[in-house]
């Protein structure tokens, strides 16, 4: 103890080394990383980040953190309530609900992440082109209007009915549903950015359109895009669960939160845990992502901070 | 005004065409032969051919599209493959539960959202404001099928106060009808109420900062009078737009909720048709829902202009 203190004092003499130890409050408002401080000083966002990280870690290391395989059928221990052996109880086939919940997180996170990248990429591309080129604007946005004329879940159901139940198809269907949403946002920011003087100067020095779009217009829309993408993840996870619940998502039998709630509804009177645990996990995960999105919006957009 | 409405309707036409193209394409994005898929796995070659003939899949694709669209304009969506009746009559039979569920939950959402939004705005950062915020955030995150099942667990299984599902026609037995519709309407209404209340709150906050509100206070009016007569009327105009969005959410949500509570509505019809591969039914219901949503959006835009002259004069 004494030794450490003297070392610290030595370091102090050598130029205030201990001040370099990382702390959030040492990030000044002028720093480009200031948003991290704003985000982490928001208690709801911080708690959500911790919760979401836990879910991600559980999902990644699913085989290590579960004692039973999600498909392991054990007729002897059917419909058992939560216990030390089975934290979340067992289902009608004696499968471990905790294990299935953890493996269900994998599907949810996979779908959420894939839809975010897919819709984020396609939506950005469409939005940038529609916003930048006047001639492309009206036709492209009318097509987007067409896709947005449906309630999202209904369009997803219709696409799934054609493609057939499979995780990959859920991702495709949800990318189609969420792309117009991102495109609309990107078009809006592009319309504003392209009137800026620096875009005109870039054009004047002979920069190509795709370079301007990539380097300036896209980068300038990055903050709202990131915020929007967090909400896309949340909605995609909800939508996947709803589709699976309705039997139009991931094939029945696969451990997903939606499938588990659907299977559990029939046994509601005898085994509430079959519904409650996966449902709560789904609810909390989506809420955590939404709160992170809210926090990111406050952190990345200086105008919304003081409100 | 008339010019505005006409222009707005003209703008809807290309969107409707795209909607038609999307729904028409659904049958053609099926991997493999749609006729074989719909005829079923144990269908003979001849049955598959009959199915192909029945669906008109032998025609060139543009002829198929024109025929399909022309029929759809006459509200003819073809015959259901499974139900042995026309898609339109299948929809008409199932429209009542869906329509009533939407009306009940929208009414409930407004009854919750408007007062709580107003109170939250007037008493900013009060307990009501904070509770509303928690409900709004939670309401946006809770999967409506899970919320519905939790309500069933609580009020039907544990307390035994209300039935867990099923439907009774309102003409047959109004009391049983309402008892069965309480839980589904609450499930859908609460979810919509969160968003709506946040919207009422934020527009109300904007309006309360307006000059005319200050003037109203300055001339000595009581707070209730200022808030209810001067501010609320103006705050409701932007909130109307959200009502349109909420309705879209309700139409989508009813698909899920009808399944949770076994209500024989249009949403459940769609869900049942997925497994049966009954494409004409899916196409019909999805098309009708999209058109309803577009028309509601149009009505709200028109109403917006009607109640807020600023928009009317601003657009010319």
């Amino acid at each position: 103890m004494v030794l450490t203190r003297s070392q610290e004092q030595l370091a102090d003499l050598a130029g205030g080394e201990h001040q370099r130890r990382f702390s959030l409050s040492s990030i000044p408002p002028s720093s480009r990383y200031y948003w991290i401080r704003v985000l982490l000083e928001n208690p709801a966002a911080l708690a959500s980040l911790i919760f979401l990280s836990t879910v991600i870690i559980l999902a990644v290391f699913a085989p290590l953190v579960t004692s039973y395989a999600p498909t392991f059928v054990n007729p002897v221990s059917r419909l058992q309530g939560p216990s030390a052996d089975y934290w979340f109880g067992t289902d009608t086939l004696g499968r471990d609900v905790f294990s299935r919940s953890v493996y269900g997180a994998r599907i949810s996170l996979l779908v959420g992440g894939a839809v975010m990248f897919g819709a984020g990429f396609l939506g950005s591309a469409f939005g940038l082109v529609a916003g930048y080129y006047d001639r492309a604007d009206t036709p492209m946005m009318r097509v987007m209007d067409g896709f947005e004329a449906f309630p999202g879940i209904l369009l997803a159901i219709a696409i799934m009915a054609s493609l057939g139940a499979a995780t990959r198809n859920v991702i495709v269907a949800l990318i189609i549903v969420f792309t117009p949403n991102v495109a609309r946002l990107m078009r809006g920011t592009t319309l504003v950015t392209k009137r800026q003087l620096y875009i005109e100067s870039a054009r004047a020095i002979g920069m190509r359109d795709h370079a301007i779009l990539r380097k300036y217009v896209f980068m300038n829309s990055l903050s709202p895009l990131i915020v929007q993408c967090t909400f896309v993840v949340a909605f995609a996870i909800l939508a996947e669960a709803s589709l699976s619940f309705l039997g139009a998502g991931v094939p029945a039998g696969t451990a997903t939160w939606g499938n588990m709630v659907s299977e559990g509804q029939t046994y509601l009177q005898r085994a509430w845990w079959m519904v409650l645990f996966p449902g709560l996990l789904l609810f909390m995960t989506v809420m955590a992502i939404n709160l992170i999105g809210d926090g990111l919006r406050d952190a990345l957009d200086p105008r919304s901070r003081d409100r | 005004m008339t010019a505005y409405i006409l222009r707005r309707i003209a703008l809807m036409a290309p969107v409707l065409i795209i909607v038609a193209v999307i729904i028409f394409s659904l049958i053609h994005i099926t991997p493999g032969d749609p006729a074989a898929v719909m005829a079923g796995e144990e269908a003979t070659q001849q049955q598959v051919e009959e199915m192909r003939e029945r669906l008109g899949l032998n025609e060139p694709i543009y002829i198929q599209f024109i025929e399909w669209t022309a029929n759809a304009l006459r509200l003819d969506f073809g015959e259901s493959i499974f139900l042995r009746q026309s898609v339109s009559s299948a929809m008409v039979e199932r429209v009542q539960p869906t329509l009533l569920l939407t009306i009940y939950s929208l009414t409930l959402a407004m009854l919750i959202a408007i007062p709580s939004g107003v109170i939250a705005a007037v008493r900013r950062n009060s307990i009501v404001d904070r509770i509303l915020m928690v409900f709004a955030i939670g309401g946006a995150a809770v999967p409506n099928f899970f919320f519905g099942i939790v309500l069933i667990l609580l009020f039907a299984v544990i307390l035994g106060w209300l039935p867990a599902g099923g439907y009774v026609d309102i003409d047959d037995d109004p009391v049983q009808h309402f008892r069965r519709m309480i839980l589904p309407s609450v499930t859908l209404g609460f979810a919509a109420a969160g968003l709506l209340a946040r919207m009422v709150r934020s527009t109300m906050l904007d309006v309360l900062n307006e000059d005319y509100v200050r003037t109203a206070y300055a001339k000595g009016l009581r707070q209730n009078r200022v808030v209810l007569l001067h501010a609320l009327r103006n705050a409701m105009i932007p909130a109307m737009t959200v009502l349109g969005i909420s309705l879209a959410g309700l139409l989508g949500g009813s698909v899920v909720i009808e399944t949770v509570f076994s209500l024989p509505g249009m949403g459940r019809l769609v869900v049942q048709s997925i497994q049966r591969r009954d494409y004409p039914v899916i196409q019909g219901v999805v098309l009708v829902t999209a058109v309803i949503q577009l028309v509601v959006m149009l009505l709200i835009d028109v109403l917006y202009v009607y109640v807020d002259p600023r928009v009317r004069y601003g657009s010319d």
Side-chain angles (χ1 to χ4, degrees):
Chain A
M1 232 5 235
V2 180
L3 196 73
T4 10
R5 183 175 288 171
S6 65
Q7 268 179 344
E8 209 171 276
Q9 281 165 346
L10 271 176
D12 210 344
L13 285 171
E17 193 70 22
H18 71 280
Q19 283 197 335
R20 276 224 246 144
R21 265 185 313 173
F22 180 74
S23 81
L24 270 183
S25 50
S26 67
I27 305 177
S30 56
S31 162
R32 63 186 298 195
Y33 299 111
Y34 183 61
W35 65 271
I36 299 178
R37 175 176 161 189
V38 178
L39 181 66
L40 295 182
E41 280 176 352
N42 172 348
L46 182 64
S48 305
L49 271 173
I50 294 172
F51 177 78
L52 188 66
S53 315
T54 317
V55 174
I56 292 174
I57 291 170
L58 283 175
V60 170
F61 297 105
L64 300 176
V65 296
T66 55
S67 351
Y68 305 90
T71 48
F72 177 68
V73 173
N74 187 356
V76 184
S77 51
R78 293 173 65 236
L79 292 175
Q80 284 187 9
S83 64
D85 257 1
Y86 301 102
W87 291 354
F88 289 179
T90 59
D91 67 5
T92 37
L93 299 173
R95 295 175 298 193
D96 181 20
V97 175
F98 174 73
S99 171
R100 292 179 70 74
S101 302
V102 170
Y103 278 87
R106 284 186 160 188
I107 306 260
S108 290
L109 294 171
L110 171 76
V111 171
V115 172
M116 178 190 82
F117 281 111
F121 179 79
L122 285 178
S124 301
F126 292 158
L128 285 171
V129 171
Y132 197 73
Y133 300 103
D134 289 334
R135 251 193 263 165
D137 191 19
T138 311
M140 287 182 79
M141 289 326 281
R142 282 298 90 79
V143 173
M144 298 294 151
D145 284 344
F147 277 97
E148 282 185 323
F150 308 94
I153 188 81
L154 206 57
L155 179 59
I157 288 176
I159 299 172
M160 287 306 293
S162 298
L163 294 179
T167 311
R168 194 193 45 165
N169 295 343
V170 173
I171 294 173
V172 172
L174 293 182
I175 288 177
I176 295 175
V177 170
F178 288 113
T179 296
N181 188 296
V182 179
R184 193 167 299 285
L185 171 95
M186 290 302 279
R187 171 184 175 269
T189 55
T190 307
L191 283 176
V192 176
T193 313
K194 76 168 179 187
R195 297 202 197 328
Q196 301 293 320
L197 213 53
Y198 60 83
I199 301 292
E200 208 180 314
S201 3
R203 225 181 276 140
I205 59 169
M207 226 170 141
R208 304 265 174 123
D209 277 358
H210 65 86
I212 295 178
L213 282 175
R214 206 177 55 232
K215 282 195 177 149
Y216 296 134
V217 183
F218 177 73
M219 292 314 275
N220 211 10
S221 316
L222 201 55
S223 300
L225 177 67
I226 290 172
V227 173
Q228 190 69 15
C229 278
T230 47
F231 293 124
V232 168
V233 177
F235 285 129
I237 291 179
L238 266 185
E240 180 273 319
S242 303
L243 287 174
S244 296
F245 175 81
L246 295 174
V250 178
T254 312
T256 70
W257 293 339
N259 280 343
M260 293 173 72
V261 173
S262 170
E263 287 157 18
Q265 197 193 349
T266 329
Y267 301 92
L268 203 55
Q269 296 193 351
R270 291 168 62 196
W272 51 266
W273 51 88
M274 280 178 67
V275 164
L276 208 63
F277 289 113
L280 275 179
L281 261 174
L282 171 64
F283 172 42
M284 289 171 72
T285 306
V286 172
M287 182 137 99
I289 298 172
N290 277 340
L291 287 172
I292 293 170
D294 284 340
L296 272 174
R297 180 168 47 203
D298 293 348
L300 292 169
D301 178 9
R303 273 163 303 178
S304 78
R305 247 175 235 163
D306 303 323
R307 256 189 272 163
Chain B
M1 186 72 188
T2 323
Y4 173 82
I5 298 175
L6 287 176
R7 200 169 60 216
R8 192 63 186 64
I9 292 176
L11 274 176
M12 223 171 95
V15 177
L16 272 175
I17 294 172
I18 289 159
V19 164
V21 172
I22 295 170
I23 297 176
F24 172 76
S25 324
L26 284 174
I27 199 168
H28 295 278
I29 59 171
T30 310
D33 181 0
V37 172
M38 268 184 272
E41 271 166 23
E42 56 268 14
T44 60
Q45 189 61 38
Q46 197 197 344
Q47 282 170 317
V48 173
E49 282 310 318
E50 277 169 15
M51 181 63 77
R52 203 190 312 281
E53 191 62 41
R54 199 173 131 191
L55 294 164
L57 291 173
N58 287 325
E59 311 278 345
I61 197 141
Y62 64 94
I63 302 239
Q64 286 183 44
F65 177 68
I66 292 169
E67 274 182 4
W68 183 80
T69 313
N71 286 335
L73 283 175
R74 293 192 305 256
L75 299 180
D76 172 10
F77 308 105
E79 292 278 314
S80 159
I81 289 159
F82 184 86
L83 297 169
R84 295 170 197 285
Q85 66 182 137
S86 76
V87 174
S88 340
S89 69
M91 281 198 282
V92 169
E93 275 175 19
R94 289 164 179 80
V95 78
Q96 195 201 54
T98 308
L99 187 70
L100 292 179
L101 176 63
T102 314
I103 292 174
Y104 297 156
S105 39
L106 201 61
T107 314
L108 189 68
M110 288 198 289
L111 285 179
I112 301 170
I114 296 173
S116 56
V118 169
I119 295 171
V122 174
R123 307 212 187 290
R124 219 179 147 185
N125 294 326
S126 67
I127 295 178
V128 179
D129 193 10
R130 273 154 215 270
I131 293 177
L132 175 71
M133 208 61 183
V134 170
F135 267 100
I137 292 170
V142 71
N144 47 18
F145 61 91
F146 177 59
F147 185 45
I149 292 177
V150 169
L151 289 182
I152 294 179
L153 184 64
L154 196 63
F155 292 101
V157 176
I158 297 176
L159 295 170
W161 290 350
L162 293 165
Y167 185 73
V168 173
D169 201 303
I170 188 164
D171 298 326
D172 293 350
D173 186 347
V175 178
Q176 283 306 317
H177 169 81
F178 283 112
R179 271 171 61 85
R180 281 178 166 74
M181 292 301 269
I182 289 176
L183 289 183
S185 312
V186 168
T187 311
L188 269 179
F190 260 67
L195 180 73
L196 200 59
R198 265 179 105 163
M199 189 67 193
V200 171
R201 175 186 178 271
S202 78
T203 53
M204 197 69 190
L205 279 176
D206 289 342
V207 172
L208 286 176
N209 284 326
E210 294 276 352
D211 290 342
Y212 58 79
V213 170
R214 197 173 340 125
T215 311
Y217 275 118
K219 69 181 184 187
L221 292 183
R222 284 167 182 277
Q223 191 186 31
N224 285 345
R225 212 177 151 79
V226 177
V227 169
L228 296 178
L229 284 179
H230 294 242
L232 183 61
R233 283 180 60 172
N234 286 289
M236 283 319 290
I237 296 171
M240 245 166 39
T241 329
V242 182
L243 209 62
I245 301 169
S246 307
L247 190 75
L250 289 181
L251 287 173
S254 64
V255 177
V256 180
I257 293 307
E258 282 172 15
T259 306
V260 173
F261 291 95
S262 334
L263 299 176
M266 303 222 305
R268 199 162 137 86
L269 177 65
V270 169
V271 172
Q272 288 171 333
S273 304
I274 303 171
Q275 275 95 20
R276 300 168 186 161
R277 297 269 180 179
D278 202 341
Y279 288 97
V281 173
I282 298 176
Q283 287 179 317
V285 176
V286 174
L287 180 62
V288 167
T289 315
V291 171
I292 290 174
Q293 185 169 321
L294 284 172
V295 170
V296 168
M297 292 292 185
L298 174 75
L299 286 179
I300 283 176
D301 275 4
V302 171
L303 204 63
Y304 201 112
V305 181
Y306 183 71
V307 293
D308 190 350
R310 280 172 300 182
V311 182
R312 205 182 322 163
Y313 298 126
S315 66
D316 292 328

